[in-house]
């Protein structure tokens, strides 16, 4: 080893940069993307802290009178209160908890399915490939929202049903991409070399090919996560998603009739319709979806070696 | 052409069978017996047994599957639990209201998106392009529910520019009720469409023939409107044809909020009533439309792009 290293020491050696460190450098240069990453991390941190009950808890508690408008008197009144006098700010934070956990759990289900089915189909080909392609074509033929509604209803509503439904419907795109990449990579020289060194099928799939295509999982993840958050809000709005939890969808559903109710607001020294719960839930959702949108584009630019 | 179309249609049979199988497994195996849910907790044993027999849930699974396939082939899904109407009648009645909302909205969106897409492709990299892309991303990130609620509240309720909700089957009146939902629908989808067409058009402008056209001195408007637009027809038409059958589904939330008696509204009501028969029929119906859309897309490809032949795949 030492002798080999010595023999090339005279030549100019540029340290090789891996795909990941290269991508990280490019991502870091994109200030907007870094900002969006920070926004997503902030939502995740808020969700985690709310989960442990360290902030914004308990959200079920009455903190003032019903439909109190925003005021700076206390932190929990900054976004006003809902029809039971609960803090809208606390509910928005817990809504982030619901949205983030649905996004994460759905991805934990769909990513392994997508990778496993796509990888094995592309790698082995033959009847297994036909079967997998048939399966994902079929799943993709049922309009997403209908399949989501049907699975959630059949599993009996609620968070678990919604996560399983989202996981079971959102793996198709990843499986398609993985299949294509594995078909391309399986006959490349490095894989043939690994085979001649005695690497078995699973070693070739997971140790040799997968690290070379895993960036597609990351790109897919940000888009899928955003889709899951949007779907969570719609399903909860329809009443078959989160039950008894302050989801943004439930909040929007509660808030849609509040706009026709007018209350006195000292800041204006006049009356105002009750808009704060609707505004809180929709803007919380807007910022995280916007950040994920921009981050998804930036990740694709940074990680896809074809766009350099 | 006919042979090609027939072969494509035959090729969808495994997918259609797969869809039927998945929907059957969902509604008859995973969901199980819905009779208790439908009758409530005070039902007598006789009532449960009778309804179960009526719905066919007392039969073995393979018989249930055959029955389900018969329902699909004859397009007869029995009665809705909630409204007691024929399900197939409800679906057929919902198509026209759905289409009168989604068709105009879709063509408006496509028209606007292609025009803006052409403009920003021409100005690409300049500030107007960047601002447009930024606006698209912002627009795509606003929740659909926010568009609907704010649109309905401000434009219809506060400013009274439009009726708040409703539907009139007579023609000029129908448009009065549909104007606001169509406007909101365009707002919701235009951002995504502009980005899609911008990418497609920019890809086209980096082709060699554009350079040739410039070299021989054609004016920029002529290059864009004649050559680039014509060559971009492939992604445009495929995108349009792909989406056409989905328009029948209507816009779930818009129809619910604006009281339009289309398929989307029917579906949401069925979700509220746990009306499984309607949801099952609707899932099948919409999947078939989607599959049909795929076939039409392939056909449209061959019609628009002479390089794709009928003999190939």
């Amino acid at each position: 080893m030492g002798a080999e290293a010595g023999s090339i020491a005279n030549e100019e050696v540029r340290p090789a940069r891996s795909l990941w460190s290269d991508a990280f450098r490019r991502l870091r240069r994109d200030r907007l993307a870094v900002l969006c990453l920070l926004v997503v991390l902030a939502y995740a941190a808020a969700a985690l802290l709310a989960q442990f009950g360290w902030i914004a808890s308990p959200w079920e508690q009455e903190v003032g009178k019903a439909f109190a408008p925003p005021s700076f008197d206390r932190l929990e009144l900054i976004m006003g209160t809902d029809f039971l006098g609960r803090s809208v700010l606390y509910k928005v934070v817990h809504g982030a908890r619901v949205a983030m956990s649905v996004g994460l759990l759905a991805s934990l289900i769909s990513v392994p399915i997508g990778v496993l089915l796509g990888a094995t189909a592309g790698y082995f080909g033959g009847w297994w490939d036909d079967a997998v392609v048939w399966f994902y074509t079929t799943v993709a033929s049922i309009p997403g929202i209908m399949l989501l509604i049907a699975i959630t209803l059949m599993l009996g509503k609620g968070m678990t049903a919604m996560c399983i439904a989202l996981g079971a419907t959102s793996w198709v795109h990843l499986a398609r991409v993985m299949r294509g990449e594995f078909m391309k990579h399986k006959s490349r020289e490095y894989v043939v070399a690994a085979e001649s060194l005695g690497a078995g099928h699973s070693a070739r799939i997971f140790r040799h090919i997968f690290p070379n295509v895993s960036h597609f999982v990351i790109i897919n993840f940000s888009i899928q996560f955003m889709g899951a958050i949007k779907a969570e809000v719609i399903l909860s709005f329809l009443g078959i998603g989160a039950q008894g939890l302050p989801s943004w969808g439930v909040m929007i559903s509660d808030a849609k009739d509040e706009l026709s109710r007018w209350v006195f607001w000292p800041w204006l020294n006049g009356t105002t319709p009750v808009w704060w719960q609707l505004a809180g839930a929709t803007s919380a959702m807007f910022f995280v979806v916007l950040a994920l949108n921009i981050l998804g584009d930036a990740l694709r630019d940074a990680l896809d070696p074809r766009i350099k | 052409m006919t042979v090609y179309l027939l072969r494509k249609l035959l090729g969808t049979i495994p997918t259609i069978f797969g869809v039927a199988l998945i929907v059957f497994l969902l509604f008859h195996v995973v969901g199980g017996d819905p009779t208790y849910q439908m009758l409530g907790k005070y039902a007598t044993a006789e009532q449960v047994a009778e309804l179960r027999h009526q719905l066919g849930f007392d039969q073995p699974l393979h018989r249930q599957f055959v029955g389900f396939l018969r329902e699909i082939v004859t397009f007869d899904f029995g009665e809705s639990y909630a409204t007691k109407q024929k399900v197939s009648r409800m679906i057929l009645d919902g198509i026209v209201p759905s289409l009168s909302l989604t068709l105009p909205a879709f063509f408006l969106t496509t028209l606007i998106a292609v025009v803006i897409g052409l403009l920003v492709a021409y100005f690409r990299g300049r500030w107007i392009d960047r601002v447009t892309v930024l606006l698209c991303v912002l627009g795509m990130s606003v929740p659909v529910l926010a568009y609907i609620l704010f649109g309905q509240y401000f434009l219809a309720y506060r400013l009274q520019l439009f009726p708040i909700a409703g539907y009139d089957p007579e023609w000029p009146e129908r448009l009065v009720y549909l104007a606001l939902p169509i406007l909101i629908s365009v707002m919701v989808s235009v951002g995504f469409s502009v980005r899609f067409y911008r990418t497609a058009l920019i890809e086209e402008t980096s082709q060699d023939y554009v350079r040739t056209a410039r070299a021989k001195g054609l004016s920029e408007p002529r290059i864009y409107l004649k050559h680039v637009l014509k060559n971009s027809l492939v992604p445009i038409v495929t995108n349009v044809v792909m989406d056409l059958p989905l328009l029948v589904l209507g816009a779930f939330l818009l129809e619910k909020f604006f009281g339009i008696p289309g398929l989307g509204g029917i579906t949401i009501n069925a979700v509220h009533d746990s009306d499984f028969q309607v949801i099952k029929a609707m899932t099948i119906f919409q999947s078939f439309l989607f599959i049909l859309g795929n076939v039409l897309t392939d056909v449209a490809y061959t019609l628009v792009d002479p390089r794709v032949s009928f003999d190939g795949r």
Side-chain angles (χ1 to χ4, degrees):
Chain A
M1 201 65 204
E4 277 170 39
S7 68
I8 56 164
N10 296 334
E11 292 167 40
E12 203 180 328
V13 181
R14 204 189 90 188
R17 284 207 307 264
S18 72
L19 171 72
W20 295 102
S21 67
D22 205 29
F24 184 67
R25 282 163 45 94
R26 258 178 288 158
L27 198 62
R28 213 172 38 188
R29 242 179 286 149
D30 189 347
R31 290 230 186 92
L32 188 61
V34 174
L35 181 69
C36 289
L37 184 64
L38 289 179
V39 169
V40 175
L41 288 179
Y43 271 79
L48 213 58
L49 291 175
Q51 177 77 45
F52 290 130
W54 291 341
I55 56 165
S57 295
W59 64 272
E60 307 95 321
Q61 210 163 54
E62 230 175 279
V63 296
K65 60 182 197 324
F67 300 122
S71 79
F72 284 139
D73 294 351
R74 273 176 302 157
L75 177 69
E76 57 263 38
L77 292 180
I78 278 183
M79 285 191 198
T81 63
D82 71 353
F83 68 107
L84 290 176
R86 297 176 296 193
S87 163
V88 171
L89 176 67
Y90 284 9
K91 284 174 79 179
V92 167
V93 173
H94 279 266
R97 189 191 96 198
V98 173
M100 297 307 251
S101 42
V102 169
L104 199 65
L105 289 175
S107 302
L108 282 181
I109 297 172
S110 74
V111 169
I113 300 179
V115 169
L116 269 182
L117 286 184
T120 50
Y123 180 83
F124 291 112
W127 68 268
W128 175 244
D129 185 37
D130 291 341
V132 170
V133 171
W134 170 78
F135 187 45
Y136 72 55
T137 315
T138 304
V139 173
S141 299
I142 307 174
I145 182 76
M146 277 320 297
L147 192 56
L148 271 180
I149 289 176
I151 299 180
T152 314
L153 270 181
M154 287 304 123
L155 292 177
K157 303 183 181 177
M159 286 284 278
T160 322
M162 182 164 52
C163 290
I164 295 176
L166 276 164
T169 49
S170 55
W171 55 271
V172 172
H173 180 71
L174 184 60
R176 254 188 203 140
V177 173
M178 281 289 135
R179 173 174 173 268
E181 290 300 312
F182 268 77
M183 280 167 96
K184 261 195 321 207
H185 278 262
K186 69 178 175 192
S187 50
R188 293 248 169 109
E189 277 173 6
Y190 74 93
V191 182
V192 178
E195 187 187 0
S196 58
L197 287 173
H201 288 309
S202 66
R204 268 178 272 161
I205 294 178
F206 293 109
R207 201 171 322 139
H208 297 282
I209 304 180
F210 183 67
N212 284 307
V213 299
S214 53
H215 56 284
F216 287 104
V217 178
I218 304 284
I219 298 169
N220 187 68
F221 179 79
S222 65
I223 296 163
Q224 202 179 304
F225 196 79
M226 179 178 71
I229 290 178
K230 284 175 152 175
E232 185 272 316
V233 171
I234 302 276
L235 289 177
S236 296
F237 175 82
L238 292 179
I240 57 177
Q243 311 281 321
L245 283 169
S247 150
W248 294 331
V250 177
M251 290 176 72
I252 295 174
S253 170
D254 286 347
K256 66 178 191 290
D257 303 321
E258 292 174 359
L259 284 174
S260 52
R261 177 187 292 272
W262 292 71
V263 294
F264 181 76
W265 195 11
W267 287 7
L268 285 180
N269 208 12
T271 55
T272 169
V274 180
W275 51 266
W276 35 91
Q277 175 152 244
L278 181 59
T282 48
S283 52
M285 186 184 166
F286 168 73
F287 286 115
V288 71
V289 170
L290 178 65
L292 284 168
N293 252 328
I294 298 176
L295 195 61
D297 286 351
L299 279 174
R300 195 175 47 224
D301 293 349
L303 282 169
D304 199 337
R306 281 168 305 188
I307 326 171
K308 234 183 182 171
Chain B
M1 178 71 198
T2 327
V3 177
Y4 176 79
L5 191 62
L6 271 178
R7 203 169 56 215
K8 279 280 163 206
L9 285 175
L10 280 178
T12 63
I13 289 179
T15 319
I16 290 179
F17 180 76
V19 168
L21 191 65
I22 287 182
V23 173
F24 175 78
L25 286 176
L26 260 181
F27 281 83
H28 287 251
V29 180
V30 178
D33 189 343
T35 39
Y36 288 101
Q37 215 165 332
M38 289 162 57
L39 289 171
K41 53 184 166 184
Y42 300 111
T44 62
E46 291 86 60
Q47 280 174 306
V48 171
E50 198 198 317
L51 183 67
R52 187 176 288 162
H53 177 71
Q54 205 183 322
L55 296 170
F57 276 97
D58 55 345
Q59 293 184 344
L61 275 180
H62 65 274
R63 294 277 289 281
Q64 289 185 34
F65 187 55
V66 172
F68 178 54
L69 289 181
R70 190 180 305 127
E71 284 181 345
I72 294 174
V73 172
T74 55
F75 196 64
D76 180 2
F77 293 94
E79 276 179 5
S80 149
Y81 302 157
T83 65
K84 304 290 173 224
Q85 279 174 291
K86 297 278 280 181
V87 177
S88 42
R89 187 78 249 155
M90 286 168 73
I91 292 180
L92 291 178
D93 286 345
I95 291 177
V96 172
S98 278
L99 280 181
S100 20
L101 164 63
T102 49
L103 262 185
F106 178 70
F107 280 107
L108 261 175
T109 309
T110 307
L111 186 71
I112 296 173
V114 170
V115 170
I116 297 182
L118 269 174
L119 276 175
V120 292
Y122 178 68
F123 289 110
R124 76 167 170 284
R126 306 245 281 274
W127 67 270
I128 187 165
D129 176 35
R130 287 206 209 110
V131 169
T132 312
V133 172
L134 183 71
L135 283 178
C136 288
V137 177
L138 287 176
M140 279 160 61
S141 305
V142 176
V144 182
L145 286 165
Y147 278 115
I148 299 176
L149 283 167
F150 286 111
Q152 199 172 30
Y153 181 73
F154 284 108
L155 299 178
Y157 175 67
R158 293 296 287 278
L159 299 175
Q160 306 197 333
L161 295 174
F162 303 96
I164 289 179
Y167 184 77
D168 192 332
E170 299 300 317
W171 253 111
E173 289 83 3
R174 186 185 295 195
L175 220 53
V176 174
Y177 285 107
L178 287 174
L180 182 57
I182 288 173
L183 182 73
I184 293 176
S185 175
V186 171
M187 290 287 296
V188 169
S189 44
V190 82
F192 181 84
S193 297
V194 167
R195 257 172 57 125
F196 176 84
Y197 291 122
R198 175 184 171 271
T199 314
L201 289 164
I202 283 183
E203 203 164 286
E204 207 55 52
T205 53
S206 55
Q207 301 280 333
D208 285 342
Y209 72 86
V210 176
R211 207 173 45 201
T212 311
R214 280 212 182 98
K216 72 176 190 181
L218 287 188
S219 70
E220 288 292 312
R222 200 176 156 82
I223 295 175
Y224 275 84
L225 292 179
K226 185 130 181 270
H227 298 275
V228 173
L229 191 59
K230 211 167 181 178
N231 279 292
S232 315
L233 272 182
V234 177
I236 294 175
V237 168
T238 40
N239 194 43
V240 168
V241 176
M242 186 76 213
D243 284 348
L244 271 183
L246 285 177
L247 296 181
V248 180
L249 319 187
F252 286 74
L253 296 167
L254 278 171
E255 286 180 10
K256 176 72 186 160
F257 272 95
F258 288 94
I260 299 160
L263 294 177
I266 294 175
T267 310
I268 290 191
N269 288 337
V271 170
H272 280 302
D273 302 335
S274 294
D275 198 342
F276 296 151
Q277 198 63 24
V278 173
I279 297 174
K280 188 165 78 177
M282 205 65 95
T283 312
I284 286 287
F285 179 66
Q286 299 183 356
S287 307
F288 287 1
L289 283 175
F290 185 83
I291 295 169
L292 183 72
N294 275 323
V295 174
L296 289 180
T297 311
D298 285 341
V299 175
Y301 249 133
T302 60
L303 292 180
V304 176
D305 192 343
R307 285 166 299 188
V308 183
S309 71
F310 293 127
D311 313 322
R313 283 221 341 111

